[in-house]
Amino acid sequence: MDESVKNGIEVLTGEDCTRFQGKRDFISLTDDIDTAMDYAEMKPSEKVGKGSFPVMLGISLEDAKKLETINIHSDRREIGVLGNIPPEYISFISVPENKVEFVRKLVNNDKIKVCPFEPEKRFYQKTPFGDIDFDDKKAKKVLHEQNSKGKIFSIDEIKALTLGRVKSKIQESIRKMQNLIKDNFKRKDAYER
Amino acid sequence: MKDNDLFKEVLTFLAYFDSAIIEKIPSQLLSKMRDLAADSRAEFYIDEDKDLRNQKMTEACKDIISLLYYTYVADENEKKEISKSWNENEKEYQKFLKNKYDFDKIVQDKKE
């Protein structure tokens, strides 16, 4: 794709911009672990936005066949997936180490394993059926052994932010949260003290 | 600000919180936020060179994050400290509002 643009070849992929320089209108689908890991290691550009992080989804070949795909002009071994991927097709999600816990909770699905990228240790592997899978035990071990990398807001920063708020505004937030999830978010003693 | 945009903003920032904090927030709550945020077309960015207080963040987002911290992360002593601070800030805020919208003062200021 990038090479095509560089060489003046018209690109008919429906992408807004070249790879990672802007947003793509599709999800890259590949059965090549090196291609997947190369994407995982790319740092999103300023244009895509700080705060973005790469996500790698593991899907079985059987499920991949059910997805709506498009051919794309690319110098990689990949095709495009249009729209969203149904959660029931996803076997694992790989994200930067410091995002694992967040994504795990966000996904909130025991059937989907969430693991950290670990390009050097490469615990991803091809199964005899041609799928890409990963060594779950090894991934968890690595996660516990290593410290988080990248930007993380400290607990002191969060507390400082919290201390600076105003009670009446917090009460508005409590109402929002109560509307969001009625049973789970009890009206705590935040403003009753 | 729409709630789906607000919760997308909150989730954008939560992604940069330590795992130990995220662990304490109920999954169900995060899932609900995720479902709402999925409908948002708004974009939010983290400036990795700035600390949390200096991030470009809406006041409503700061309030939700603070509420999550108070409810799920802070221990009992911290809760007392935070609650006291919120009450004090509220007094200052009401003074500010009173000053801002005090009719007599507005008239007085205009005369001057």
Side-chain angles (χ1 to χ4, degrees):
Chain A
M1 168 74 193
D2 292 330
E3 287 302 311
S4 301
V5 172
K6 211 184 290 174
N7 296 326
I9 299 166
E10 191 182 5
V11 177
L12 303 171
T13 63
E15 290 190 56
D16 290 328
C17 309
T18 57
R19 180 186 299 127
F20 265 82
Q21 292 309 302
K23 291 195 171 181
R24 310 180 94 188
D25 290 338
F26 59 84
I27 298 164
S28 175
L29 178 65
T30 181
D31 63 352
D32 176 37
I33 188 66
D34 291 325
T35 296
M37 291 309 294
D38 283 350
Y39 273 123
E41 288 167 28
M42 282 182 189
K43 195 169 171 57
S45 68
E46 295 275 327
K47 196 172 174 183
V48 171
K50 290 172 177 177
S52 303
F53 56 87
V55 176
M56 186 160 82
L57 308 174
I59 305 166
S60 74
L61 283 181
E62 276 306 303
D63 287 333
K65 285 175 193 167
K66 298 174 202 163
L67 297 169
E68 187 186 352
T69 57
I70 50 165
N71 289 321
I72 56 172
H73 287 234
S74 176
D75 51 5
R76 305 290 180 106
R77 186 186 167 89
E78 60 177 331
I79 56 173
V81 174
L82 293 172
N84 294 321
I85 297 176
E88 59 270 25
Y89 291 3
I90 300 170
S91 57
F92 73 84
I93 298 177
S94 232
V95 290
E97 277 180 57
N98 58 8
K99 302 287 181 290
V100 169
E101 189 55 36
F102 173 72
V103 173
R104 188 174 286 149
K105 290 210 113 179
L106 205 59
V107 170
N108 193 23
N109 186 332
D110 293 340
K111 290 177 184 165
I112 301 175
K113 291 178 270 189
V114 181
C115 66
F117 290 135
E118 192 45 68
E120 287 167 16
K121 297 189 178 166
R122 291 288 171 116
F123 41 63
Y124 301 90
Q125 57 194 5
K126 250 187 175 174
T127 69
F129 305 103
D131 306 337
I132 295 171
D133 205 348
F134 75 98
D135 186 333
D136 195 21
K137 280 183 189 166
K138 193 170 176 184
K140 278 181 183 163
K141 192 165 177 279
V142 167
L143 183 63
H144 282 96
E145 280 174 357
Q146 296 190 343
N147 292 324
S148 297
K149 295 169 189 166
K151 175 76 177 176
I152 286 288
F153 295 119
S154 72
I155 199 158
D156 289 341
E157 286 177 82
I158 302 164
K159 188 176 172 184
L161 179 92
T162 302
L163 285 168
R165 309 318 298 159
V166 172
K167 185 176 160 184
S168 55
K169 299 290 178 185
I170 291 292
Q171 286 170 338
E172 284 175 27
S173 297
I174 289 173
R175 280 189 283 276
K176 274 186 198 298
M177 298 301 273
Q178 283 175 327
N179 286 338
L180 179 70
I181 182 164
K182 290 189 173 63
D183 298 330
N184 202 299
F185 200 84
K186 301 280 185 220
R187 188 175 168 136
K188 296 243 172 175
D189 50 354
Y191 54 96
E192 288 168 358
R193 284 179 191 273
Chain B
M1 188 185 201
K2 290 178 185 170
D3 281 356
N4 52 4
D5 292 339
L6 171 61
F7 289 120
K8 184 172 181 181
E9 186 182 11
V10 171
L11 288 176
T12 302
F13 282 94
L14 288 183
Y16 285 80
F17 284 13
D18 194 86
S19 296
I21 294 173
I22 297 300
E23 272 173 15
K24 293 179 180 172
I25 303 173
S27 297
Q28 200 187 352
L29 196 62
L30 290 174
S31 300
K32 288 274 183 184
M33 285 192 210
R34 176 203 64 196
D35 293 346
L36 267 182
D39 295 330
S40 170
R41 306 285 291 174
E43 301 281 354
F44 302 99
Y45 306 113
I46 305 285
D47 187 337
E48 296 193 357
D49 299 327
K50 290 181 178 171
D51 65 19
L52 186 61
R53 288 185 87 175
N54 292 314
Q55 294 290 327
K56 194 179 171 191
M57 194 191 310
T58 63
E59 292 300 305
C61 178
K62 289 177 186 175
D63 288 333
I64 296 281
I65 286 173
S66 300
L67 185 57
L68 291 174
Y69 181 84
Y70 175 92
T71 309
Y72 299 113
V73 183
D75 60 28
E76 278 308 307
N77 287 335
E78 274 185 311
K79 282 186 182 187
K80 281 179 193 164
E81 184 190 355
I82 292 166
S83 189
K84 190 179 166 201
S85 177
W86 285 350
N87 282 319
E88 285 169 0
N89 294 342
E90 181 66 29
K91 282 177 195 164
E92 290 300 312
Y93 180 60
Q94 291 304 327
K95 263 189 216 168
F96 165 78
L97 289 180
K98 192 169 183 290
N99 197 37
K100 193 177 176 185
Y101 298 110
D102 188 321
F103 182 74
D104 292 342
K105 190 174 184 304
I106 292 169
V107 172
Q108 180 83 23
D109 288 349
K110 277 202 171 177
K111 277 181 185 172
E112 287 171 9

